Amino acid sequence: MSPEGKVTDTSDAKVVLNGETVDPDDYMAIPGPKGLVTNGKGNEDGGFGADGGWQSTKVAPPGVEAVRKIENVGFGTKERPNGRIIGAVGNHVIAYWSKESDGLSAIHDLTTGAIQATVPCRTEETDYEADIPSPRSVVAPQPALSPNGRFLVKGGNVFDLKTGKGTCSDRGEGAKKIALASVDDDGTAYGLAGNDHPRTPVSVSATTGTAKALPETTSTPVAVAKGAGVFATYADADTMRLIVLNLKD
């Protein structure tokens, strides 16, 4: 199932990626206007793209090798397309590109593969396995867009699709892991920091990337819609209630 709820049967399908016929990635197969957009199944960084359409080797970010040389003991040097899809939302796919440093994460247009924004760090892969929401769950939320479509959050990163830049809020010495769940139209993202329960509610600025700890009793929105925020409250670990609040004065 794609992030938009569309079901695609890829059990017996083959796709053409970077000139090769391969199996699609069952967990990252997103229906696009010009064909199925997916990774090559079973490859750590074997490239991605639209079936028979745009290809990752043609849309690599500046300063990133589109094709990497992999040293394999006993098999010599092998060339392999770089890049791997790690999430998707709306008309956007999020990909991780390997570099000698920490790597780079990029937002690509689902239809054309064009780069829309980048951040100089790794982004955690989306877990699309079924999971019952719980206040103790440390599974990172799925990526989310601001209501106006300008900002995108994934893991601890905030991308500005207008400027093409992004921030890595949970990188650096002493930084805690951050899982952002929502972002509003001014670029303020909301989520939780840390791995231990209870985690710390935080807000993150898309401009500075600075994470600000909020009071422990703060309930951060799990989603932001135009003029409203969606909040989750828990009676216990298994009982969740969703509350929609009008954000206007």
Side-chain angles (χ1 to χ4, degrees), residues 70-117:
I70 309 297
E71 299 288 344
N72 193 316
V73 178
F75 295 93
T77 302
K78 183 178 181 181
E79 292 189 343
R80 178 178 292 174
N82 195 0
R84 185 169 181 81
I85 297 173
I86 53 177
V89 60
N91 194 41
H92 314 279
V93 292
I94 305 104
Y96 174 72
W97 295 83
S98 295
K99 293 181 64 176
E100 292 183 1
S101 58
D102 190 29
L104 180 143
S105 298
I107 308 300
H108 295 262
D109 182 273
L110 178 68
T111 304
T112 66
I115 296 172
Q116 300 173 312

Side-chain angles (χ1 to χ4, degrees), residues 30-231:
I30 305 108
K34 296 186 178 180
L36 192 69
V37 178
T38 183
N39 296 310
K41 187 175 182 179
N43 293 328
E44 179 62 27
D45 57 353
F48 62 93
D51 181 19
W54 63 266
Q55 306 291 292
S56 58
T57 50
K58 304 297 183 182
V59 296
V64 174
E65 293 180 330
V67 177
R68 302 178 68 216
K69 292 183 178 180
I70 309 297
E71 299 288 344
N72 193 316
V73 178
F75 295 93
T77 302
K78 183 178 181 181
E79 292 189 343
R80 178 178 292 174
N82 195 0
R84 185 169 181 81
I85 297 173
I86 53 177
V89 60
N91 194 41
H92 314 279
V93 292
I94 305 104
Y96 174 72
W97 295 83
S98 295
K99 293 181 64 176
E100 292 183 1
S101 58
D102 190 29
L104 180 143
S105 298
I107 308 300
H108 295 262
D109 182 273
L110 178 68
T111 304
T112 66
I115 296 172
Q116 300 173 312
T118 61
V119 293
C121 58
R122 192 178 190 98
T123 298
E124 185 175 352
E125 186 164 340
T126 296
D127 185 356
Y128 286 113
E129 296 288 342
D131 184 40
I132 299 175
S134 163
R136 297 181 180 276
S137 174
V138 295
V139 175
Q142 294 184 16
L145 287 166
S146 60
N148 62 7
R150 174 174 175 175
F151 299 99
L152 187 155
V153 293
K154 176 75 175 74
N157 300 338
V158 185
F159 299 85
D160 186 335
L161 302 179
K162 182 177 180 179
T163 65
K165 299 179 180 180
T167 59
C168 308
S169 62
D170 56 358
R171 295 297 188 272
E173 186 176 353
K176 293 184 178 181
K177 177 181 177 181
I178 295 177
L180 297 172
S182 61
V183 58
D184 62 25
D185 286 343
D186 69 0
T188 303
Y190 300 94
L192 300 172
N195 288 316
D196 300 325
H197 182 75
R199 291 179 291 168
T200 303
V202 294
S203 65
V204 174
S205 166
T207 303
T208 65
T210 302
K212 177 183 178 182
L214 302 174
E216 294 182 1
T217 56
T218 301
S219 179
T220 56
V222 295
V224 175
K226 189 173 181 61
V230 181
F231 298 82

